[in-house]
Amino acid sequence: MMTNTLTIRQPDDWHVHVRDGDMLRSVINYTAAQFGRAIIMPNLATPITSVKLAEAYRTRILSALDPAHDFTPLMTCYLTDSTDPKEVEMGYEQGVFTACKLYPAGATTNSDSGVTHIDNITVVLETMQSIGMPLLIHGEVTDSDIDIFDREAVFIERTMFKLIAQFPDLKIVFEHITTKDAVDFVRASGPKIAATITPHHLVYNRSAIFAGGINPHLYCLPIAKREVHRLALRKAAISGSPKFFMGTDSAPHTVENKQSACGCAGVFNAPFAIESYAQTFDQENALDTLEGFASLHGPEFYGLKPNSRKILLERKDISVPDNYDIMDTQIIPFHAGETLKWHFAGLV
Ligand code: NCD
Ligand code: ZN
């Protein structure tokens, strides 16, 4: 029988960029409307590298929230070559930091202050391992001689294997995975290794970025790969394995910054995130595993309770706007102008 309504625990977004200032005020409530909690990425223009910066950022996020939403931002510490392990430990013990984020220097938006070599953060990683604090990894090598479509797979070979051997008890989330290689790596590794999967990497492959001309709104990092990889991601997401969970990587940029001679990487998917995932799971006849992926596996990995609230999803056509008027300009969302088959009817 066809499922037409679905009630699941309220999901969390385990990877999102909500920016700062006017942009923060414009986008945060899309995330807060759907998700109970979200892991807030620290890659602001001035990266969130200290407890003080994280507390101030959290306060700005909370003050941008519509009071109708009961939403908890979970803050992360941006690792650099000179991160002080004591700062990380203090932030974790005080409940300010939930995790640390590793950006290889130069890998993506605002990653210039990232880590230039993994050996520079050995003591930080030892500390995190001993206190049980998760490490969130943007898993791409940055060497310009490595083809952009190979950067995730090469990161596994060069860094991931070494990392899990050196820190066998460190909790690691391989963020926004895009390859079958990453799926296989995560599956083959122990229970401390998990991965997030975005809605957009489940929907399109690399050909779509160039279908009929260049589509800058499908450009994000890691870049979408071949179809075989998209299919592996879909299989992993619907598998029921606790190693895979939701992380939208919603990453808003203004239309000028996307449609440019040097367009920014990032897909803004926050307004219809759960709808997009629900449609994918439905296409795979796997609505029964959506709740695990959306709402249970993430909290379990992070050692948190699932949300007690529930949300209602209904099978119903919904139109995604062509754009959002934001800050005297626009942001073009994921699925712009499309009709999705599932509707988020709110909390129940
Ligand atoms: C993100 C951003 O714009 O901050 N962009 C993206 O393409 N995903 C950074 C990131 O997560 O790589
Ligand atoms: Zn991201």
Side-chain angles (χ1 to χ4, degrees):
M1 211 183 77
M2 206 186 212
T3 309
N4 289 321
T5 63
L6 196 61
T7 303
I8 60 170
R9 297 258 193 170
Q10 187 179 26
D12 303 298
D13 186 349
W14 299 99
H15 180 130
V16 67
H17 303 267
V18 297
R19 314 301 191 203
D20 210 348
D22 286 344
M23 180 73 102
L24 166 65
R25 285 185 283 277
S26 303
V27 301
I28 184 65
N29 287 298
Y30 294 113
T31 293
Q34 300 201 336
F35 298 101
R37 294 163 289 198
I39 287 275
I40 307 295
M41 286 296 128
N43 64 329
L44 301 184
T46 302
I48 303 301
T49 52
S50 69
V51 179
K52 241 192 164 124
L53 286 169
E55 281 178 316
Y57 186 30
R58 183 168 64 182
T59 301
R60 296 198 295 282
I61 294 170
L62 292 173
S63 40
L65 281 179
D66 177 335
H69 304 312
D70 184 357
F71 171 78
T72 306
L74 303 174
M75 310 309 290
T76 56
C77 177
Y78 181 117
L79 296 178
T80 71
D81 284 344
S82 53
T83 299
D84 181 351
K86 289 197 218 71
E87 184 78 11
V88 166
E89 184 165 11
M90 182 174 82
Y92 188 67
E93 301 302 339
Q94 291 180 357
V96 179
F97 291 143
T98 297
C100 286
K101 177 69 192 250
L102 167 59
Y103 289 105
T108 188
T109 310
N110 295 335
S111 65
D112 292 350
S113 321
V115 174
T116 59
H117 196 285
I118 194 84
D119 292 345
N120 295 333
I121 56 167
T122 302
V123 184
V124 175
L125 298 182
E126 280 166 358
T127 303
M128 292 173 65
Q129 175 171 251
S130 70
I131 62 180
M133 182 180 191
L135 173 69
L136 317 182
I137 302 184
H138 183 111
E140 289 193 286
V141 296
T142 54
D143 316 48
S144 55
D145 62 322
I146 303 293
D147 189 278
I148 185 169
F149 295 100
D150 296 335
R151 287 180 190 169
E152 186 173 284
V154 173
F155 187 86
I156 297 170
E157 281 166 36
R158 290 193 185 167
T159 306
M160 280 297 202
F161 280 113
K162 195 177 141 201
L163 207 55
I164 62 170
Q166 201 178 347
F167 304 98
D169 288 324
L170 181 61
K171 283 191 190 181
I172 296 176
V173 184
F174 197 160
E175 298 282 57
H176 41 50
I177 57 170
T178 59
T179 57
K180 179 174 184 305
D181 311 63
V183 169
D184 292 345
F185 169 79
V186 170
R187 276 191 192 288
S189 309
K192 305 273 175 183
I193 313 300
T196 53
I197 306 179
T198 74
H200 42 284
H201 289 114
L202 295 171
V203 168
Y204 64 86
N205 61 29
R206 68 185 195 177
S207 294
I209 305 171
F210 306 101
I214 192 157
N215 294 286
H217 300 289
L218 300 185
Y219 173 53
C220 70
L221 289 171
I223 197 160
K225 308 298 191 297
R226 288 176 183 275
E227 180 65 357
V228 61
H229 297 291
R230 185 182 74 100
L231 296 178
L233 296 173
R234 287 171 77 101
K235 228 172 134 187
I238 66 163
S239 67
S241 162
K243 287 171 157 287
F244 300 102
F245 42 85
M246 209 174 250
T248 65
D249 197 19
S250 182
H253 293 279
T254 63
V255 69
E256 292 83 9
N257 286 333
K258 292 290 290 176
Q259 298 175 198
S260 141
C262 188
C264 293
V267 170
F268 177 54
N269 58 33
F272 291 90
I274 190 67
E275 295 89 333
S276 179
Y277 282 116
Q279 176 164 294
T280 291
F281 275 64
D282 190 18
Q283 287 165 351
E284 296 286 335
N285 288 316
L287 287 170
D288 57 322
T289 61
L290 180 63
E291 184 176 40
F293 179 76
S295 319
L296 305 177
H297 303 162
E300 189 184 331
F301 184 84
Y302 277 85
L304 299 168
K305 286 207 175 97
N307 294 310
S308 48
R309 292 175 299 244
K310 297 198 164 178
I311 63 159
L312 176 64
L313 296 163
E314 295 170 338
R315 182 187 302 280
K316 184 174 155 190
D317 284 3
I318 45 153
S319 306
V320 177
D322 292 329
N323 55 59
Y324 287 88
D325 287 325
I326 279 174
M327 303 182 336
D328 300 328
T329 177
Q330 279 117 38
I331 302 184
I332 314 295
F334 181 43
H335 293 300
E338 291 175 23
T339 301
L340 296 176
K341 298 284 174 198
W342 283 85
H343 165 65
F344 169 66
L347 295 168
V348 286

